[in-house]
Amino acid sequence: MEVVIKDNYQEISQLAANYLFDTVKKKNDAVLGLPTGSTPLGMYQIIIDKYKDNCSFQNVRTFNLDEYVGLDKTNKCSYCYYMENILFSHIDIKEENIYIPNGVAENMEEECRYYENLIRSRGPMDILFLGIGPNGHIGFNEPNYYFEPYTHVVKLTDNTIAANSRFFDSIESVPKTAITMGMKTILSAKKIVMLATGHNKAEAIAKSIKGKVTPQVPGSVLQLHNNVTLIIDKDAAKYL
Ligand code: GLP
């Protein structure tokens, strides 16, 4: 695993955006895997500001990692809303090329199978960007006793609900379940770029990179992939 330690958030965001631009420059119909959260915000801003000088998203397809169950696209806390506002409405991507798990599907089991099959038939993802939760979760794959391979519904841990409550009016309004790509889905991407900043990610980063591969530390699964770049700041790197 390649580990790049940068001095500041701007440099992390720039390098991540460069990976994305390079991928789309080489392949104008690239398939991208995209995350949410606060960490990729800087990368998305650079993409909005600079994409016209670098590439077009006309033929690009995107798959988001995850979504809260029960929140639809009009809900400001849904990842669908986030993606539209933070990125998609500012670039020339076609609506029909955007895929995000449907958190309000009538039958969630069916939605999981549908989403997994979409990734399989339209993919593989050429590049997948990831953040990491303070407990080591990737996408919404929480610490568990086994690896969930494919897209599935997951019960969020108290740790994740607390960490993500800053985006909601109250901790009670954070959904208790989510739909997420599974571990094999994530590992099926040709290239993975993980971003992390801050002291509160340091333990998760150290365990993911140097610890044993275990479903108790979901990020550790990245050790099984042969093309991962981790872009982090000094705070997140402090136990490496
Ligand atoms: C959420 C998302 C993850 C993301 C994590 C970290 O739980 N489901 O995909 O990696 O948050 O978010 P942040 O970047 O805000 O720390």
Side-chain angles (χ1 to χ4, degrees), residues 36-40 65-66 79 131-133 137 139-140 160 164 166-167 201:
T36 53
S38 41
T39 313
L65 274 163
D66 49 14
Y79 287 163
I132 188 164
H137 74 245
F140 265 134
T160 297
N164 290 4
R166 66 189 193 281
F167 299 109
K201 302 289 173 71

Side-chain angles (χ1 to χ4, degrees), residues 67-72 102-105 108 153-154 175-179:
E67 177 61 286
Y68 290 108
V69 169
L71 303 192
D72 69 10
N102 179 6
V104 291
M108 287 307 295
V153 171
V154 60
K176 307 283 181 288
T177 53
I179 173 170

Side-chain angles (χ1 to χ4, degrees), residues 195-237:
L195 314 178
T197 62
H199 295 284
N200 73 326
K201 302 289 173 71
E203 201 181 319
I205 288 295
K207 285 183 176 167
S208 295
I209 294 176
K210 294 170 90 180
K212 65 172 188 217
V213 178
T214 163
Q216 288 296 322
V217 183
S220 67
V221 82
L222 299 182
Q223 293 179 36
L224 304 177
H225 194 283
N226 62 12
N227 194 354
V228 178
T229 298
L230 181 64
I231 312 173
I232 55 179
D233 66 2
K234 291 195 176 98
D235 292 340

Side-chain angles (χ1 to χ4, degrees), residues 96-152:
E96 65 263 32
N97 289 340
I98 295 169
Y99 303 101
I100 301 178
N102 179 6
V104 291
E106 259 179 45
N107 182 333
M108 287 307 295
E109 292 309 312
E110 218 169 83
E111 174 62 19
C112 291
R113 277 194 299 275
Y114 173 74
Y115 198 68
E116 189 66 35
N117 283 334
L118 267 183
I119 297 172
R120 219 166 284 169
S121 59
R122 312 266 151 98
M125 292 174 277
D126 292 289
I127 189 164
L128 166 64
F129 294 86
L130 291 178
I132 188 164
N135 66 357
H137 74 245
I138 53 175
F140 265 134
N141 290 274
E142 295 281 34
N144 202 346
Y145 295 105
Y146 54 92
F147 289 118
E148 279 277 5
Y150 304 115
T151 302
H152 60 284

